[in-house]
Amino acid sequence: MTKLDAEVDDLIAACHGDTRGTVAALILVNQQLETELAELRAQMAARPFDDHMAHVVLH
């Protein structure tokens, strides 16, 4: 069993064996992370750009 398999099993167990609930929870977490990333990108866009920041890239 891989680490990923174990993590999947742990998530499903945390959702009392409800795989649909597990997927829904992961989607919600992903949406939150996407929101946070958009906010960070907006903050970076609002900052003045200077040469020492040239190496910083947000994907």
Side-chain angles (χ1 to χ4, degrees):
M1 177 180 283
T2 68
K3 182 179 181 205
L4 179 59
D5 290 330
E7 289 175 354
V8 169
D9 288 345
D10 289 346
L11 286 171
I12 294 170
C15 290
H16 309 289
D18 180 5
T19 53
R20 185 176 177 87
T22 303
V23 171
L26 290 171
I27 289 170
L28 290 172
V29 169
N30 189 64
Q31 289 173 340
Q32 178 62 37
L33 291 171
E34 290 287 343
T35 298
E36 290 178 22
L37 181 57
E39 291 170 359
L40 287 171
R41 285 182 172 153
Q43 290 174 12
M44 292 300 295
R47 295 177 127 200
F49 184 81
D50 57 34
D51 290 338
H52 81 276
M53 292 294 291
H55 69 282
V56 176
V57 177
L58 291 176
H59 299 280

